[in-house]
Amino acid sequence: MKFHILTLFPEMVLSGLNTSIVGRASKNGLLSIEAVNIRDFSTNKHRHVDDYPYGGGAGMVMQPEPIYAAYQSICEQAQKKPRVIYLTPQGRVFHQQMAEEFAKEEELVFLCGHYEGVDERVLELIATDYVSMGDYVLTGGELPAMVMIDCISRLLPGVLNNEESAEFESFHDNLLEYPQYTRPEVFLDKKVPEVLLSGHHANIERWRREQSLKRTFERRPDLLEMAVLDKKDRAFLKMLQEGKEQG
Ligand code: ADE
């Protein structure tokens, strides 16, 4: 996978993404991350990339030409026209299935806006996907792009090692992850649940499944609608709903 990030702050995205698991994957050649500085494509002698909005109003708008030229420089190297994800609170809210879909692409372009927005015409020409990180407003698209790249990268073959990928994940079966414990066995008078020390694998598995169901029921009941549940799960949930659960 090749990730291209159109941004005014290349050092911001590169410093974040060259770290930890994504950084390791990039060094191992499993993916590549290129930050394209939009300012490098300004033809203005002051290297301006923004201007006042037509019609008046507050703030500045990013001009179309440098963005389009930066995008073209990516297309010149690409095999086919890549998808261009414009990060905006006006987009579809990002979720795991979207990451799975994007992970199938060979190349992805992220367009990070700043100021009050981006000239609509360049968006009409190049943006294929409008994605939001959530219903709040950030100062730019860099952090959302980094979040998406992190999430997509860990789905690519070889990026996680065996131990990392064997980890049970939140959103597996659309349920939240069960609680985890490590040493010490007692921490500030709080004991690790007995079942986890029992060595009884079937009981541990059942306990973890029930904890996942309980957490999802308490914290994100909306996820249960799409959860993959068997008969036992449904019976357990029914018990929770009826308030009969003992703890
Ligand atoms: N740019 C500013 N706010 C954003 C958000 N919530 N999601 C994606 N891009 C943004």
Side-chain angles (χ1 to χ4, degrees):
M1 169 75 83
K2 281 189 184 170
F3 296 109
H4 307 269
I5 309 159
L6 295 169
T7 173
L8 291 171
F9 302 99
E11 64 293 344
M12 174 179 177
V13 289
L14 291 179
S15 64
L17 294 170
N18 282 330
T19 313
S20 187
I21 293 175
V22 180
R24 180 185 70 193
S26 168
K27 280 178 200 102
N28 291 342
L30 295 167
L31 53 88
S32 72
I33 300 167
E34 180 204 26
V36 180
N37 191 344
I38 296 167
R39 203 174 294 282
D40 290 345
F41 293 84
S42 169
T43 50
N44 183 292
K45 79 170 177 215
H46 302 292
R47 302 226 304 155
H48 283 170
V49 288
D50 59 327
D51 210 330
Y52 296 100
Y54 277 117
M60 303 291 268
V61 177
M62 284 173 72
Q63 293 174 290
E65 301 101 316
I67 294 174
Y68 193 68
Y71 162 76
Q72 280 187 312
S73 79
I74 294 169
C75 290
E76 277 161 20
Q77 320 155 25
Q79 308 282 342
K80 57 172 191 163
K81 271 196 172 182
R83 277 168 90 165
V84 177
I85 301 161
Y86 176 52
L87 287 316
T88 166
Q90 298 182 12
R92 278 201 301 149
V93 177
F94 188 55
H95 55 71
Q96 190 65 30
Q97 280 103 309
M98 264 163 104
E100 281 161 23
E101 192 207 314
F102 285 128
K104 294 178 193 152
E105 300 290 325
E106 275 170 31
E107 220 153 330
L108 286 171
V109 178
F110 294 84
L111 172 57
C112 305
H114 257 265
Y115 309 112
E116 296 308 303
V118 170
D119 186 291
E120 191 65 22
R121 293 163 295 180
V122 72
L123 296 176
E124 286 168 7
L125 284 170
I126 72 171
T128 56
D129 299 85
Y130 292 70
V131 179
S132 166
M133 236 354 85
D135 292 336
Y136 42 79
V137 183
L138 301 166
T139 55
E142 281 77 9
L143 288 170
M146 290 162 74
V147 169
M148 285 187 70
I149 292 170
D150 187 287
C151 184
I152 295 165
S153 294
R154 62 185 290 290
L155 301 174
L156 303 175
V159 169
L160 298 184
N161 62 35
N162 274 347
E163 243 169 53
E164 288 157 354
S165 38
E167 252 177 52
F168 189 93
E169 305 176 29
S170 279
F171 301 116
H172 179 80
D173 285 350
N174 229 39
L175 295 175
L176 299 183
E177 194 181 358
Y178 51 75
Q180 296 275 23
Y181 300 87
T182 186
R183 278 189 283 196
E185 211 177 296
V186 182
F187 169 67
L188 298 178
D189 286 340
K190 289 167 85 68
K191 275 205 76 197
V192 170
E194 208 63 53
V195 62
L196 299 178
L197 309 173
S198 68
H200 192 301
H201 293 299
N203 284 356
I204 293 173
E205 210 176 296
R206 191 64 224 156
W207 181 85
R208 285 180 163 168
R209 184 72 181 177
E210 288 179 354
Q211 290 295 313
S212 280
L213 291 161
K214 185 165 177 279
R215 284 212 154 171
T216 314
F217 176 74
E218 287 168 356
R219 298 181 185 184
R220 290 292 307 276
D222 56 300
L223 292 178
L224 287 172
E225 264 173 55
M226 299 288 284
V228 184
L229 304 173
D230 65 13
K231 243 181 163 178
K232 269 192 187 169
D233 295 336
R234 270 191 279 270
F236 183 75
L237 275 175
K238 195 159 173 261
M239 199 168 74
L240 290 180
Q241 275 151 358
E242 289 166 2
K244 283 186 192 156
E245 220 266 313
Q246 300 301 306

mmCIF file of all heavy atoms in Angstrom, residues 104-142:
data_model
loop_
_atom_site.group_PDB
_atom_site.id
_atom_site.type_symbol
_atom_site.label_atom_id
_atom_site.label_comp_id
_atom_site.label_asym_id
_atom_site.label_seq_id
_atom_site.Cartn_x
_atom_site.Cartn_y
_atom_site.Cartn_z
ATOM 1 N N LYS A 104 -8.078 -2.518 0.753
ATOM 2 C CA LYS A 104 -7.988 -3.297 -0.496
ATOM 3 C C LYS A 104 -7.322 -2.505 -1.624
ATOM 4 O O LYS A 104 -6.951 -3.066 -2.640
ATOM 5 C CB LYS A 104 -9.394 -3.706 -0.948
ATOM 6 C CG LYS A 104 -10.074 -4.681 -0.008
ATOM 7 C CD LYS A 104 -11.475 -5.002 -0.504
ATOM 8 C CE LYS A 104 -12.265 -5.709 0.575
ATOM 9 N NZ LYS A 104 -13.718 -5.460 0.452
ATOM 10 N N GLU A 105 -7.206 -1.197 -1.466
ATOM 11 C CA GLU A 105 -6.616 -0.362 -2.521
ATOM 12 C C GLU A 105 -5.094 -0.522 -2.545
ATOM 13 O O GLU A 105 -4.488 -0.910 -1.542
ATOM 14 C CB GLU A 105 -6.948 1.117 -2.265
ATOM 15 C CG GLU A 105 -8.417 1.434 -2.250
ATOM 16 C CD GLU A 105 -9.073 1.339 -3.616
ATOM 17 O OE1 GLU A 105 -8.420 1.678 -4.622
ATOM 18 O OE2 GLU A 105 -10.246 0.919 -3.670
ATOM 19 N N GLU A 106 -4.499 -0.219 -3.698
ATOM 20 C CA GLU A 106 -3.033 -0.273 -3.768
ATOM 21 C C GLU A 106 -2.415 1.055 -3.382
ATOM 22 O O GLU A 106 -1.261 1.137 -2.981
ATOM 23 C CB GLU A 106 -2.600 -0.637 -5.189
ATOM 24 C CG GLU A 106 -2.590 -2.132 -5.382
ATOM 25 C CD GLU A 106 -2.408 -2.529 -6.825
ATOM 26 O OE1 GLU A 106 -1.736 -1.776 -7.567
ATOM 27 O OE2 GLU A 106 -2.965 -3.574 -7.188
ATOM 28 N N GLU A 107 -3.197 2.094 -3.568
ATOM 29 C CA GLU A 107 -2.694 3.442 -3.331
ATOM 30 C C GLU A 107 -3.840 4.315 -2.815
ATOM 31 O O GLU A 107 -4.978 4.156 -3.275
ATOM 32 C CB GLU A 107 -2.216 4.003 -4.678
ATOM 33 C CG GLU A 107 -0.964 4.770 -4.580
ATOM 34 C CD GLU A 107 -0.161 4.754 -5.891
ATOM 35 O OE1 GLU A 107 -0.240 3.778 -6.657
ATOM 36 O OE2 GLU A 107 0.536 5.712 -6.116
ATOM 37 N N LEU A 108 -3.546 5.188 -1.885
ATOM 38 C CA LEU A 108 -4.582 6.097 -1.371
ATOM 39 C C LEU A 108 -3.991 7.491 -1.208
ATOM 40 O O LEU A 108 -2.841 7.635 -0.773
ATOM 41 C CB LEU A 108 -5.093 5.625 -0.007
ATOM 42 C CG LEU A 108 -6.022 4.408 0.031
ATOM 43 C CD1 LEU A 108 -6.242 3.957 1.476
ATOM 44 C CD2 LEU A 108 -7.361 4.693 -0.641
ATOM 45 N N VAL A 109 -4.785 8.492 -1.546
ATOM 46 C CA VAL A 109 -4.360 9.879 -1.352
ATOM 47 C C VAL A 109 -5.261 10.508 -0.285
ATOM 48 O O VAL A 109 -6.480 10.338 -0.326
ATOM 49 C CB VAL A 109 -4.477 10.687 -2.671
ATOM 50 C CG1 VAL A 109 -4.069 12.143 -2.447
ATOM 51 C CG2 VAL A 109 -3.630 10.053 -3.771
ATOM 52 N N PHE A 110 -4.644 11.201 0.666
ATOM 53 C CA PHE A 110 -5.395 11.908 1.709
ATOM 54 C C PHE A 110 -5.193 13.399 1.494
ATOM 55 O O PHE A 110 -4.044 13.850 1.411
ATOM 56 C CB PHE A 110 -4.887 11.520 3.100
ATOM 57 C CG PHE A 110 -5.164 10.073 3.426
ATOM 58 C CD1 PHE A 110 -4.297 9.070 2.991
ATOM 59 C CD2 PHE A 110 -6.297 9.721 4.138
ATOM 60 C CE1 PHE A 110 -4.564 7.740 3.265
ATOM 61 C CE2 PHE A 110 -6.566 8.387 4.418
ATOM 62 C CZ PHE A 110 -5.703 7.390 3.982
ATOM 63 N N LEU A 111 -6.276 14.125 1.396
ATOM 64 C CA LEU A 111 -6.179 15.576 1.238
ATOM 65 C C LEU A 111 -6.562 16.242 2.564
ATOM 66 O O LEU A 111 -7.695 16.104 3.041
ATOM 67 C CB LEU A 111 -7.103 16.040 0.103
ATOM 68 C CG LEU A 111 -7.271 17.552 -0.069
ATOM 69 C CD1 LEU A 111 -5.940 18.264 -0.286
ATOM 70 C CD2 LEU A 111 -8.220 17.852 -1.243
ATOM 71 N N CYS A 112 -5.566 16.924 3.161
ATOM 72 C CA CYS A 112 -5.787 17.565 4.456
ATOM 73 C C CYS A 112 -6.036 19.045 4.254
ATOM 74 O O CYS A 112 -5.145 19.767 3.797
ATOM 75 C CB CYS A 112 -4.566 17.385 5.351
ATOM 76 S SG CYS A 112 -4.084 15.668 5.544
ATOM 77 N N GLY A 113 -7.217 19.489 4.597
ATOM 78 C CA GLY A 113 -7.563 20.901 4.456
ATOM 79 C C GLY A 113 -7.194 21.687 5.699
ATOM 80 O O GLY A 113 -6.965 21.123 6.762
ATOM 81 N N HIS A 114 -7.103 22.978 5.530
ATOM 82 C CA HIS A 114 -6.855 23.890 6.659
ATOM 83 C C HIS A 114 -7.628 25.164 6.431
ATOM 84 O O HIS A 114 -8.351 25.282 5.453
ATOM 85 C CB HIS A 114 -5.358 24.201 6.769
ATOM 86 C CG HIS A 114 -4.728 23.425 7.868
ATOM 87 N ND1 HIS A 114 -4.547 23.904 9.117
ATOM 88 C CD2 HIS A 114 -4.300 22.136 7.885
ATOM 89 C CE1 HIS A 114 -4.012 22.971 9.861
ATOM 90 N NE2 HIS A 114 -3.841 21.881 9.138
ATOM 91 N N TYR A 115 -7.452 26.119 7.279
ATOM 92 C CA TYR A 115 -8.170 27.382 7.196
ATOM 93 C C TYR A 115 -9.668 27.111 7.198
ATOM 94 O O TYR A 115 -10.127 26.206 7.886
ATOM 95 C CB TYR A 115 -7.723 28.192 5.962
ATOM 96 C CG TYR A 115 -6.222 28.322 5.881
ATOM 97 C CD1 TYR A 115 -5.510 27.687 4.875
ATOM 98 C CD2 TYR A 115 -5.521 29.032 6.840
ATOM 99 C CE1 TYR A 115 -4.137 27.777 4.805
ATOM 100 C CE2 TYR A 115 -4.149 29.129 6.793
ATOM 101 C CZ TYR A 115 -3.454 28.505 5.774
ATOM 102 O OH TYR A 115 -2.106 28.572 5.716
ATOM 103 N N GLU A 116 -10.430 27.871 6.438
ATOM 104 C CA GLU A 116 -11.887 27.704 6.470
ATOM 105 C C GLU A 116 -12.365 26.633 5.491
ATOM 106 O O GLU A 116 -13.538 26.359 5.397
ATOM 107 C CB GLU A 116 -12.586 29.028 6.159
ATOM 108 C CG GLU A 116 -12.321 30.097 7.190
ATOM 109 C CD GLU A 116 -12.617 29.637 8.626
ATOM 110 O OE1 GLU A 116 -13.763 29.228 8.883
ATOM 111 O OE2 GLU A 116 -11.712 29.681 9.463
ATOM 112 N N GLY A 117 -11.431 26.069 4.736
ATOM 113 C CA GLY A 117 -11.858 25.052 3.784
ATOM 114 C C GLY A 117 -11.030 25.092 2.524
ATOM 115 O O GLY A 117 -10.004 25.763 2.458
ATOM 116 N N VAL A 118 -11.515 24.354 1.547
ATOM 117 C CA VAL A 118 -10.796 24.189 0.291
ATOM 118 C C VAL A 118 -11.729 24.636 -0.828
ATOM 119 O O VAL A 118 -12.939 24.370 -0.761
ATOM 120 C CB VAL A 118 -10.410 22.693 0.141
ATOM 121 C CG1 VAL A 118 -9.886 22.397 -1.242
ATOM 122 C CG2 VAL A 118 -9.385 22.294 1.204
ATOM 123 N N ASP A 119 -11.204 25.301 -1.809
ATOM 124 C CA ASP A 119 -12.000 25.725 -2.974
ATOM 125 C C ASP A 119 -12.764 24.509 -3.521
ATOM 126 O O ASP A 119 -12.172 23.458 -3.800
ATOM 127 C CB ASP A 119 -11.068 26.311 -4.039
ATOM 128 C CG ASP A 119 -11.829 26.913 -5.205
ATOM 129 O OD1 ASP A 119 -12.440 26.141 -5.976
ATOM 130 O OD2 ASP A 119 -11.814 28.150 -5.340
ATOM 131 N N GLU A 120 -14.068 24.699 -3.663
ATOM 132 C CA GLU A 120 -14.956 23.580 -4.016
ATOM 133 C C GLU A 120 -14.572 22.925 -5.351
ATOM 134 O O GLU A 120 -14.730 21.722 -5.538
ATOM 135 C CB GLU A 120 -16.401 24.100 -4.083
ATOM 136 C CG GLU A 120 -17.471 23.040 -4.176
ATOM 137 C CD GLU A 120 -17.571 22.144 -2.933
ATOM 138 O OE1 GLU A 120 -17.136 22.557 -1.846
ATOM 139 O OE2 GLU A 120 -18.079 21.013 -3.076
ATOM 140 N N ARG A 121 -14.038 23.723 -6.284
ATOM 141 C CA ARG A 121 -13.806 23.192 -7.634
ATOM 142 C C ARG A 121 -12.752 22.092 -7.656
ATOM 143 O O ARG A 121 -12.875 21.113 -8.390
ATOM 144 C CB ARG A 121 -13.409 24.335 -8.587
ATOM 145 C CG ARG A 121 -14.557 25.303 -8.822
ATOM 146 C CD ARG A 121 -14.078 26.593 -9.401
ATOM 147 N NE ARG A 121 -13.198 27.340 -8.491
ATOM 148 C CZ ARG A 121 -12.644 28.510 -8.773
ATOM 149 N NH1 ARG A 121 -12.855 29.075 -9.949
ATOM 150 N NH2 ARG A 121 -11.880 29.112 -7.890
ATOM 151 N N VAL A 122 -11.724 22.240 -6.828
ATOM 152 C CA VAL A 122 -10.690 21.201 -6.836
ATOM 153 C C VAL A 122 -11.227 19.927 -6.163
ATOM 154 O O VAL A 122 -10.891 18.805 -6.565
ATOM 155 C CB VAL A 122 -9.351 21.698 -6.224
ATOM 156 C CG1 VAL A 122 -9.434 21.862 -4.716
ATOM 157 C CG2 VAL A 122 -8.210 20.743 -6.579
ATOM 158 N N LEU A 123 -12.116 20.113 -5.205
ATOM 159 C CA LEU A 123 -12.734 18.929 -4.576
ATOM 160 C C LEU A 123 -13.575 18.190 -5.605
ATOM 161 O O LEU A 123 -13.533 16.957 -5.703
ATOM 162 C CB LEU A 123 -13.591 19.337 -3.375
ATOM 163 C CG LEU A 123 -12.841 19.966 -2.205
ATOM 164 C CD1 LEU A 123 -13.817 20.411 -1.121
ATOM 165 C CD2 LEU A 123 -11.806 18.993 -1.634
ATOM 166 N N GLU A 124 -14.345 18.946 -6.391
ATOM 167 C CA GLU A 124 -15.181 18.315 -7.428
ATOM 168 C C GLU A 124 -14.322 17.535 -8.411
ATOM 169 O O GLU A 124 -14.718 16.496 -8.918
ATOM 170 C CB GLU A 124 -15.980 19.384 -8.187
ATOM 171 C CG GLU A 124 -17.137 19.946 -7.378
ATOM 172 C CD GLU A 124 -17.762 21.195 -8.001
ATOM 173 O OE1 GLU A 124 -17.373 21.561 -9.143
ATOM 174 O OE2 GLU A 124 -18.603 21.803 -7.337
ATOM 175 N N LEU A 125 -13.121 18.056 -8.663
ATOM 176 C CA LEU A 125 -12.255 17.406 -9.656
ATOM 177 C C LEU A 125 -11.532 16.176 -9.117
ATOM 178 O O LEU A 125 -11.346 15.206 -9.841
ATOM 179 C CB LEU A 125 -11.207 18.405 -10.173
ATOM 180 C CG LEU A 125 -11.717 19.436 -11.165
ATOM 181 C CD1 LEU A 125 -10.653 20.505 -11.406
ATOM 182 C CD2 LEU A 125 -12.094 18.768 -12.489
ATOM 183 N N ILE A 126 -11.099 16.208 -7.867
ATOM 184 C CA ILE A 126 -10.222 15.114 -7.426
ATOM 185 C C ILE A 126 -10.759 14.242 -6.288
ATOM 186 O O ILE A 126 -10.371 13.083 -6.177
ATOM 187 C CB ILE A 126 -8.791 15.628 -7.066
ATOM 188 C CG1 ILE A 126 -8.778 16.415 -5.755
ATOM 189 C CG2 ILE A 126 -8.196 16.460 -8.196
ATOM 190 C CD1 ILE A 126 -7.354 16.731 -5.266
ATOM 191 N N ALA A 127 -11.641 14.786 -5.424
ATOM 192 C CA ALA A 127 -12.050 13.994 -4.245
ATOM 193 C C ALA A 127 -12.998 12.864 -4.648
ATOM 194 O O ALA A 127 -13.962 13.084 -5.383
ATOM 195 C CB ALA A 127 -12.702 14.896 -3.212
ATOM 196 N N THR A 128 -12.696 11.662 -4.198
ATOM 197 C CA THR A 128 -13.594 10.530 -4.460
ATOM 198 C C THR A 128 -14.355 10.133 -3.201
ATOM 199 O O THR A 128 -15.396 9.496 -3.272
ATOM 200 C CB THR A 128 -12.804 9.302 -4.961
ATOM 201 O OG1 THR A 128 -11.797 8.989 -3.978
ATOM 202 C CG2 THR A 128 -12.133 9.571 -6.295
ATOM 203 N N ASP A 129 -13.794 10.454 -2.023
ATOM 204 C CA ASP A 129 -14.405 10.065 -0.750
ATOM 205 C C ASP A 129 -14.295 11.228 0.232
ATOM 206 O O ASP A 129 -13.247 11.854 0.335
ATOM 207 C CB ASP A 129 -13.658 8.867 -0.149
ATOM 208 C CG ASP A 129 -13.709 7.643 -1.042
ATOM 209 O OD1 ASP A 129 -12.846 7.529 -1.959
ATOM 210 O OD2 ASP A 129 -14.603 6.814 -0.849
ATOM 211 N N TYR A 130 -15.370 11.490 0.953
ATOM 212 C CA TYR A 130 -15.379 12.515 1.995
ATOM 213 C C TYR A 130 -15.526 11.794 3.326
ATOM 214 O O TYR A 130 -16.518 11.108 3.553
ATOM 215 C CB TYR A 130 -16.559 13.480 1.795
ATOM 216 C CG TYR A 130 -16.425 14.347 0.559
ATOM 217 C CD1 TYR A 130 -16.549 13.804 -0.720
ATOM 218 C CD2 TYR A 130 -16.177 15.703 0.669
ATOM 219 C CE1 TYR A 130 -16.413 14.596 -1.845
ATOM 220 C CE2 TYR A 130 -16.046 16.511 -0.457
ATOM 221 C CZ TYR A 130 -16.162 15.947 -1.711
ATOM 222 O OH TYR A 130 -16.018 16.733 -2.828
ATOM 223 N N VAL A 131 -14.510 11.933 4.177
ATOM 224 C CA VAL A 131 -14.519 11.163 5.432
ATOM 225 C C VAL A 131 -14.344 12.098 6.629
ATOM 226 O O VAL A 131 -13.489 12.986 6.623
ATOM 227 C CB VAL A 131 -13.418 10.079 5.436
ATOM 228 C CG1 VAL A 131 -13.420 9.309 6.751
ATOM 229 C CG2 VAL A 131 -13.597 9.114 4.271
ATOM 230 N N SER A 132 -15.151 11.869 7.650
ATOM 231 C CA SER A 132 -15.080 12.635 8.904
ATOM 232 C C SER A 132 -14.585 11.737 10.021
ATOM 233 O O SER A 132 -14.836 10.536 10.029
ATOM 234 C CB SER A 132 -16.476 13.156 9.255
ATOM 235 O OG SER A 132 -16.509 13.622 10.596
ATOM 236 N N MET A 133 -13.881 12.335 10.971
ATOM 237 C CA MET A 133 -13.419 11.572 12.145
ATOM 238 C C MET A 133 -14.481 11.559 13.227
ATOM 239 O O MET A 133 -14.393 10.802 14.183
ATOM 240 C CB MET A 133 -12.165 12.241 12.688
ATOM 241 C CG MET A 133 -10.924 11.436 12.826
ATOM 242 S SD MET A 133 -10.944 9.705 12.515
ATOM 243 C CE MET A 133 -10.725 9.641 10.755
ATOM 244 N N GLY A 134 -15.483 12.399 13.129
ATOM 245 C CA GLY A 134 -16.513 12.463 14.159
ATOM 246 C C GLY A 134 -17.150 13.837 14.151
ATOM 247 O O GLY A 134 -16.679 14.735 13.448
ATOM 248 N N ASP A 135 -18.179 13.979 14.940
ATOM 249 C CA ASP A 135 -18.941 15.224 14.919
ATOM 250 C C ASP A 135 -18.329 16.284 15.827
ATOM 251 O O ASP A 135 -18.879 16.625 16.875
ATOM 252 C CB ASP A 135 -20.405 14.948 15.285
ATOM 253 C CG ASP A 135 -21.084 14.133 14.201
ATOM 254 O OD1 ASP A 135 -20.614 14.191 13.040
ATOM 255 O OD2 ASP A 135 -22.058 13.441 14.495
ATOM 256 N N TYR A 136 -17.168 16.737 15.418
ATOM 257 C CA TYR A 136 -16.468 17.821 16.096
ATOM 258 C C TYR A 136 -15.539 18.441 15.063
ATOM 259 O O TYR A 136 -15.267 17.830 14.025
ATOM 260 C CB TYR A 136 -15.665 17.312 17.305
ATOM 261 C CG TYR A 136 -14.922 16.025 17.037
ATOM 262 C CD1 TYR A 136 -13.716 16.031 16.325
ATOM 263 C CD2 TYR A 136 -15.433 14.808 17.457
ATOM 264 C CE1 TYR A 136 -13.040 14.858 16.062
ATOM 265 C CE2 TYR A 136 -14.767 13.621 17.198
ATOM 266 C CZ TYR A 136 -13.567 13.661 16.504
ATOM 267 O OH TYR A 136 -12.918 12.490 16.231
ATOM 268 N N VAL A 137 -15.067 19.661 15.338
ATOM 269 C CA VAL A 137 -14.256 20.359 14.328
ATOM 270 C C VAL A 137 -12.809 20.480 14.800
ATOM 271 O O VAL A 137 -12.532 20.980 15.889
ATOM 272 C CB VAL A 137 -14.840 21.762 14.020
ATOM 273 C CG1 VAL A 137 -14.024 22.440 12.927
ATOM 274 C CG2 VAL A 137 -16.289 21.641 13.585
ATOM 275 N N LEU A 138 -11.902 19.999 13.963
ATOM 276 C CA LEU A 138 -10.462 20.068 14.235
ATOM 277 C C LEU A 138 -9.859 21.222 13.442
ATOM 278 O O LEU A 138 -10.523 21.812 12.597
ATOM 279 C CB LEU A 138 -9.808 18.741 13.829
ATOM 280 C CG LEU A 138 -10.346 17.505 14.553
ATOM 281 C CD1 LEU A 138 -9.903 16.236 13.847
ATOM 282 C CD2 LEU A 138 -9.884 17.511 15.990
ATOM 283 N N THR A 139 -8.585 21.496 13.685
ATOM 284 C CA THR A 139 -7.946 22.606 12.957
ATOM 285 C C THR A 139 -7.493 22.190 11.564
ATOM 286 O O THR A 139 -7.160 23.027 10.747
ATOM 287 C CB THR A 139 -6.729 23.141 13.739
ATOM 288 O OG1 THR A 139 -5.844 22.041 13.988
ATOM 289 C CG2 THR A 139 -7.138 23.759 15.053
ATOM 290 N N GLY A 140 -7.456 20.907 11.296
ATOM 291 C CA GLY A 140 -7.034 20.453 9.972
ATOM 292 C C GLY A 140 -7.261 18.965 9.809
ATOM 293 O O GLY A 140 -7.644 18.268 10.757
ATOM 294 N N GLY A 141 -6.990 18.481 8.618
ATOM 295 C CA GLY A 141 -7.243 17.068 8.318
ATOM 296 C C GLY A 141 -6.086 16.134 8.659
ATOM 297 O O GLY A 141 -6.193 14.917 8.459
ATOM 298 N N GLU A 142 -4.975 16.672 9.174
ATOM 299 C CA GLU A 142 -3.788 15.831 9.401
ATOM 300 C C GLU A 142 -4.044 14.718 10.420
ATOM 301 O O GLU A 142 -3.701 13.559 10.180
ATOM 302 C CB GLU A 142 -2.584 16.670 9.827
ATOM 303 C CG GLU A 142 -1.877 17.391 8.683
ATOM 304 C CD GLU A 142 -2.613 18.629 8.200
ATOM 305 O OE1 GLU A 142 -3.589 19.048 8.855
ATOM 306 O OE2 GLU A 142 -2.221 19.178 7.155
#
